[in-house]
Amino acid sequence: MYTAHFLMREKDLIEYVKTSTDLFEDEEELLWKDIGDGNVNYVSKVWSPASGRSVVVKQADTATRLSKRALDLDRNRIEAELLVYENKLAPGLVPEVYLYDPVMAAVIMEDLSGLQIMRYALMEEETFPLFSDNITDFMAKTLANTTDFVLPSAEKKALVGRFINPAMCDISERLVYTDPYFTPATNTSISPENLSFVNDEYQKDERLLDEVAALKLDFMTNAQALIHGDLHTGSIFVAQAHTKIIDPEFAFFGPIGYDVGNVLANLIFAWVRAYVRRDSNPTRNPEFLPWVQLAVEESIDQFIHKFGEIIKVRNTLGSFSTHSFQKTYLRSLVSDSLGVTGLEINRRVIGTAKVVDVTTIKPTGLRALAERILMEAAREFIINRTSFGSGADISETIRKIFEKSARWK
Amino acid sequence: MYTAHFLMREKDLIEYVKTSTDLFEDEEELLWKDIGDGNVNYVSKVWSPASGRSVVVKQADTATRLSKRALDLDRNRIEAELLVYENKLAPGLVPEVYLYDPVMAAVIMEDLSGLQIMRYALMEEETFPLFSDNITDFMAKTLANTTDFVLPSAEKKALVGRFINPAMCDISERLVYTDPYFTPATNTSISPENLSFVNDEYQKDERLLDEVAALKLDFMTNAQALIHGDLHTGSIFVAQAHTKIIDPEFAFFGPIGYDVGNVLANLIFAWVRAYVRRDSNPTRNPEFLPWVQLAVEESIDQFIHKFGEIIKVRNTLGSFSTHSFQKTYLRSLVSDSLGVTGLEINRRVIGTAKVVDVTTIKPTGLRALAERILMEAAREFIINRTSFGSGADISETIRKIFEKSARWK
């Protein structure tokens, strides 16, 4: 309805959703609320108290919301097109899209107010028995179906072109693959207890740096599948009966392990948080630690199983059809996922994009312990990623580091 | 000058080069000759007998020249843009471009009549002492400078998008990576002596098929550098003092080893041809076999050396700067190149796109011997590609197969 881009305010937004969707009557009273909490975009909820109907409007501006850094509006097209595509591949696991408007760089989509952001729910030690089934459905369906096993060659190449995403890839290349290893830590970026460990040992570990470089090059070159690109627990809405994945604005054709590793790492933040707080948390949920370990194991094991089933059934190329080839391929997905698990952990612990799961651990001694456990696990995941074959191997590694941590001073 | 695409004939072409370049006078008499010998495009030479000046016009039509198969005109844009780009990266090693005309899908470029097509020169056992230095210059400069070591992240991604090339990649995916392994050979596609070897043994070798599948997936996903994509000795013009690389219409961001492997394989065709004809060739050049072996070894060794120098000096990312990382990377280029050497050999020996180096060997018994030597070498290159570290390893493998071949009945 608008013919030139501007940042919509309350009245504009109410008018906009009335005109652009058929969910509301012309004369209906609508209310508006700013629900954005990310750095990048403007997110509003618009709803009718009378009908109870509601939508979310996500709009991109030419500068980011908080830091006011210039950022290409194209991220909004990528997000909207990907949401539509994901709705086809994994219906029910992403919000419905009512409108994508390239002029306004805006998407009107399903309101997920009934669900909560997974990161905060995990911090409260809430468990979600359906989560690993849902997230592995989402990943297997969106990832396997956009590989060369399934997509016709020319169709895939056209999609690769449509989802080239330089601005958002640049952010990941810096925040995930570079800064945690090349920007010295300070007393404000890491617990003081870990400062010399990071600066004098971790960032000087040449084996680690070379493996990170190999993973970075893979991120920059490997057009393996159309990945979500930012699949942490802040991009996942949960309820006991539902899981919805949002915010695919980092999407591009990249390594499958990038999505899987993000899920694993963010479950591990919740796991390590609960572990170090197990004796001091007054509202501890005794079922949480066993559940989160199981969720980690199932998220990789069920993913590999479901992914394997899809390519077995839907692969169209004789070349890729043997059991031995597919088995080797699936094994490489586990390794790649573990590598990224380590990278995502370090990004959040050492890098600038912290997660509250870790930063809010008190007292600070426990926070330092959690950071150290996480960094040790991350290094193991990155350097020895080809030796991991299943979720049980991950739990075993974490268990050993927990044991070892009891002996740290 | 023309406003809609049509296939230009003699008069149109003469008018076209007069109007579109400043190489000729308006009243100058120009002559025309069809010099196309490929399946795909129309290639003409237009020249002035008076001034001696000449140009080549390469025009694409909406159907291929010989087989009349529909083919996207976009290949012509890709070729022209790449020639311009290669002129910047490797000046002197590609023809100059005087005009690229997207409307006519035509390129007016430097006439290389003074040079000969390398394949035919090698069949005459002519040697080119500067060749390995020139071709490794070309490959190192065009390939290293289009990797993520050198190109800024966003610039590279924009180039990836500009050179997405589905139509031409589809041809390679079928002819190089599929047909030789899945289409049974017949008495017209291979020497009768090798028919059962191909159908009953070679195409049933599961280790070989799985390694070919891995290389195919790499071709379809690995945006490593902007490759030429068809770097066989029919795309290379040579003279004693010059080398010029033409026909980059298969270009896209793909695996570096694809270009290097094509060069190696096509030198090996000339090598094996000369070897099996060594006692029966009345015009044998005794210097040819030592030279072609040296050319193979230098083409990989000098390439790796020059590529390594470029990334050492021009790499802009801290992540990729360690000696150990670059060494591992260079080693992987050797493996990838050997894999493609094997694929290109099989494409030409088993597949439909034959090379005259092999098909013209007489008597047919020697042709069959050459085919068998080539297929044995190809399998070794593909399956054991990670064990090759240098050109000497290639020669050693070929020498052993020559020895073994003396015992074949």
Side-chain angles (χ1 to χ4, degrees):
Chain A
M1 58 175 277
Y2 300 116
T3 54
H5 181 271
F6 66 93
L7 185 61
M8 292 182 281
R9 309 287 169 176
E10 174 169 359
K11 293 232 165 90
D12 316 313
L13 280 162
I14 288 175
E15 194 56 33
Y16 188 64
V17 301
K18 272 193 188 170
T19 319
S20 313
T21 73
D22 53 8
L23 297 168
F24 307 103
E25 305 296 325
D26 285 351
E27 300 311 310
E28 203 167 351
E29 188 209 13
L30 297 189
L31 297 178
W32 168 90
K33 194 171 125 191
D34 175 10
I35 58 167
D37 71 345
N39 168 42
V40 174
N41 295 302
Y42 295 82
V43 187
S44 311
K45 175 175 171 170
V46 178
W47 75 100
S48 158
S51 74
R53 284 182 168 168
S54 59
V55 297
V56 161
V57 184
K58 183 166 181 179
Q59 189 184 18
D61 198 7
T62 49
T64 56
R65 178 168 163 269
L66 294 187
S67 57
K68 301 293 176 199
R69 206 165 66 84
L71 195 62
D72 194 347
L73 285 178
D74 197 45
R75 70 186 187 276
N76 186 268
R77 174 190 65 79
I78 285 177
E79 170 165 9
E81 289 192 4
L82 196 68
L83 275 178
V84 170
Y85 196 59
E86 287 176 343
N87 262 295
K88 282 185 207 149
L89 294 176
L93 291 165
V94 289
E96 264 189 81
V97 173
Y98 306 123
L99 176 88
Y100 162 53
D101 176 353
V103 172
M104 299 304 284
V107 185
I108 306 180
M109 64 177 112
E110 184 182 355
D111 173 27
L112 302 175
S113 304
L115 290 75
Q116 48 183 334
I117 295 175
M118 189 175 192
R119 185 179 307 287
Y120 301 112
L122 295 183
M123 286 172 68
E124 301 303 319
E125 303 198 354
E126 203 174 330
T127 62
F128 297 91
L130 295 180
F131 171 73
S132 46
D133 188 37
N134 287 339
I135 196 72
T136 55
D137 259 2
F138 173 78
M139 293 193 295
K141 286 174 179 169
T142 57
L143 297 171
N145 286 312
T146 54
T147 61
D148 288 293
F149 286 95
V150 176
L151 283 180
S153 169
E155 188 181 323
K156 188 223 172 184
K157 288 172 180 71
L159 278 176
V160 168
R162 228 169 84 195
F163 289 104
I164 284 178
N165 199 349
M168 306 311 271
C169 284
D170 176 62
I171 294 175
S172 302
E173 287 160 21
R174 286 185 293 108
L175 297 193
V176 180
Y177 291 90
T178 312
D179 294 351
Y181 308 94
F182 290 90
T183 304
T186 67
N187 268 327
T188 55
S189 70
I190 194 104
S191 297
E193 295 91 324
N194 291 319
L195 192 56
S196 77
F197 173 74
V198 172
N199 290 344
D200 302 333
E201 186 192 326
Y202 211 74
Q203 292 190 343
K204 293 197 167 49
D205 183 335
E206 286 180 15
R207 260 181 82 205
L208 177 65
L209 297 184
D210 280 359
E211 294 303 331
V212 170
L215 288 161
K216 179 173 180 174
L217 196 59
D218 192 55
F219 183 81
M220 297 175 88
T221 55
N222 183 5
Q224 195 173 23
L226 183 50
I227 69 173
H228 177 283
D230 198 26
L231 199 50
H232 58 80
T233 45
S235 299
I236 302 174
F237 276 74
V238 282
Q240 283 303 312
H242 301 289
T243 307
K244 298 264 187 185
I245 289 88
I246 62 163
D247 281 358
E249 62 197 340
F250 281 81
F252 75 109
F253 272 82
I256 287 167
Y258 194 80
D259 277 357
V260 185
N262 264 277
V263 169
L264 296 177
N266 282 275
L267 290 172
I268 290 170
F269 293 137
W271 183 355
V272 172
R273 173 189 171 86
Y275 175 79
V276 300
R277 297 173 77 236
R278 69 196 181 285
D279 296 328
S280 62
N281 177 5
T283 58
R284 182 182 170 203
N285 171 5
E287 288 168 17
F288 186 76
L289 278 171
W291 172 78
V292 75
Q293 171 175 343
L294 187 67
V296 166
E297 294 176 5
E298 288 181 346
S299 291
I300 184 75
D301 294 344
Q302 289 188 14
F303 168 72
I304 294 296
H305 175 73
K306 291 174 182 177
F307 190 104
E309 288 299 306
I310 293 175
I311 60 172
K312 196 160 76 185
V313 173
R314 299 212 51 207
N315 170 50
T316 55
L317 295 173
S319 312
F320 301 156
S321 61
T322 71
H323 176 69
S324 51
F325 177 72
Q326 295 186 358
K327 198 173 149 190
T328 305
Y329 182 88
L330 293 174
R331 176 85 192 205
S332 76
L333 294 187
V334 179
S335 308
D336 294 351
S337 301
L338 265 292
V340 175
T341 305
L343 291 163
E344 169 71 1
I345 289 175
N346 286 336
R347 163 209 197 175
R348 302 299 196 172
V349 173
I350 306 173
T352 48
K354 303 292 183 203
V355 284
V356 285
D357 325 41
V358 178
T359 55
T360 60
I361 296 173
K362 296 226 163 66
T364 54
L366 285 189
R367 177 186 166 184
L369 177 65
E371 289 171 350
R372 181 70 187 274
I373 288 170
L374 286 164
M375 289 187 285
E376 293 285 3
R379 175 156 60 180
E380 185 68 20
F381 294 152
I382 292 170
I383 292 181
N384 294 322
R385 62 189 180 282
T386 58
S387 66
F388 288 82
S390 70
D393 295 341
I394 303 177
S395 297
E396 178 64 11
T397 296
I398 292 179
R399 196 189 53 73
K400 280 188 186 155
I401 294 173
F402 284 164
E403 270 181 31
K404 208 168 67 171
S405 74
R407 298 188 296 275
W408 295 340
K409 326 159 221 192
Chain B
M1 57 175 277
Y2 299 116
T3 55
H5 181 270
F6 67 92
L7 185 61
M8 292 182 281
R9 310 286 170 176
E10 174 170 359
K11 293 232 165 90
D12 316 313
L13 281 162
I14 288 175
E15 194 56 33
Y16 188 65
V17 301
K18 272 193 189 171
T19 319
S20 313
T21 73
D22 53 8
L23 297 168
F24 307 103
E25 304 297 325
D26 286 351
E27 300 311 310
E28 203 167 350
E29 188 209 13
L30 298 189
L31 297 178
W32 168 90
K33 193 171 126 190
D34 175 9
I35 57 167
D37 71 345
N39 169 42
V40 174
N41 296 302
Y42 295 81
V43 187
S44 312
K45 175 176 171 169
V46 178
W47 75 101
S48 158
S51 74
R53 285 182 167 168
S54 59
V55 297
V56 161
V57 184
K58 183 166 181 179
Q59 189 184 18
D61 198 7
T62 49
T64 55
R65 177 168 164 268
L66 294 187
S67 56
K68 301 292 176 199
R69 206 165 65 84
L71 195 62
D72 194 347
L73 285 179
D74 197 45
R75 69 185 189 277
N76 186 269
R77 174 190 65 79
I78 285 177
E79 171 165 9
E81 289 192 4
L82 196 68
L83 275 178
V84 171
Y85 196 59
E86 287 176 343
N87 262 296
K88 282 185 207 148
L89 294 177
L93 292 165
V94 288
E96 263 188 82
V97 173
Y98 306 123
L99 175 88
Y100 162 53
D101 176 353
V103 172
M104 299 305 284
V107 186
I108 306 180
M109 64 177 112
E110 184 182 355
D111 173 28
L112 302 176
S113 303
L115 289 75
Q116 48 182 335
I117 295 175
M118 190 175 191
R119 185 179 307 287
Y120 302 111
L122 295 183
M123 286 171 68
E124 301 303 319
E125 303 198 354
E126 202 173 330
T127 63
F128 297 91
L130 295 180
F131 171 72
S132 46
D133 188 36
N134 286 339
I135 196 72
T136 55
D137 259 2
F138 173 78
M139 294 193 295
K141 287 174 180 170
T142 57
L143 297 171
N145 286 312
T146 55
T147 62
D148 288 293
F149 286 95
V150 176
L151 283 180
S153 169
E155 188 182 324
K156 187 222 171 183
K157 288 171 180 72
L159 278 176
V160 168
R162 229 170 83 195
F163 288 104
I164 284 178
N165 198 349
M168 306 312 272
C169 284
D170 176 62
I171 294 175
S172 302
E173 287 159 22
R174 286 186 292 108
L175 298 193
V176 180
Y177 291 90
T178 312
D179 294 352
Y181 309 94
F182 290 91
T183 304
T186 66
N187 268 327
T188 55
S189 70
I190 193 104
S191 296
E193 295 91 323
N194 291 320
L195 192 56
S196 78
F197 173 74
V198 172
N199 290 343
D200 302 334
E201 186 192 325
Y202 211 75
Q203 291 190 344
K204 292 196 167 49
D205 183 335
E206 286 180 16
R207 260 181 82 205
L208 177 65
L209 296 184
D210 280 359
E211 294 303 330
V212 171
L215 288 161
K216 179 173 180 174
L217 196 59
D218 192 55
F219 183 81
M220 297 175 88
T221 55
N222 183 6
Q224 195 173 23
L226 183 50
I227 69 173
H228 177 283
D230 198 26
L231 199 50
H232 58 79
T233 45
S235 299
I236 302 173
F237 275 74
V238 281
Q240 283 303 313
H242 301 290
T243 307
K244 298 265 187 184
I245 290 88
I246 62 163
D247 281 357
E249 63 196 341
F250 281 80
F252 74 109
F253 271 82
I256 287 167
Y258 194 80
D259 277 356
V260 185
N262 264 276
V263 169
L264 296 177
N266 282 274
L267 289 173
I268 290 170
F269 293 137
W271 183 355
V272 172
R273 173 189 171 86
Y275 175 79
V276 300
R277 297 174 78 237
R278 68 196 181 284
D279 296 328
S280 62
N281 178 5
T283 58
R284 182 182 170 204
N285 171 5
E287 288 168 17
F288 187 76
L289 278 171
W291 172 79
V292 74
Q293 171 174 344
L294 187 68
V296 166
E297 294 176 5
E298 288 181 346
S299 290
I300 184 74
D301 294 345
Q302 289 188 14
F303 168 71
I304 293 295
H305 176 73
K306 290 175 182 177
F307 190 104
E309 288 299 307
I310 293 175
I311 61 173
K312 196 160 76 184
V313 173
R314 298 213 50 208
N315 170 50
T316 55
L317 295 173
S319 312
F320 301 156
S321 61
T322 70
H323 175 69
S324 51
F325 177 72
Q326 294 186 359
K327 198 174 147 189
T328 305
Y329 182 88
L330 293 174
R331 177 85 192 206
S332 77
L333 294 187
V334 179
S335 308
D336 294 351
S337 300
L338 266 291
V340 175
T341 305
L343 292 163
E344 169 71 0
I345 289 175
N346 286 336
R347 163 209 197 175
R348 302 300 196 172
V349 173
I350 305 173
T352 47
K354 302 292 183 203
V355 284
V356 285
D357 325 42
V358 178
T359 55
T360 60
I361 296 174
K362 297 226 162 65
T364 54
L366 285 190
R367 177 185 166 184
L369 177 66
E371 289 171 350
R372 181 71 186 273
I373 288 170
L374 286 164
M375 288 187 285
E376 293 285 4
R379 175 155 61 181
E380 186 68 19
F381 295 152
I382 292 170
I383 291 181
N384 294 322
R385 62 190 180 282
T386 58
S387 66
F388 287 82
S390 70
D393 295 342
I394 303 177
S395 297
E396 179 63 12
T397 297
I398 292 179
R399 196 189 54 73
K400 280 188 184 153
I401 294 172
F402 284 164
E403 270 181 31
K404 207 168 69 170
S405 74
R407 298 189 296 274
W408 295 339
K409 326 158 222 194

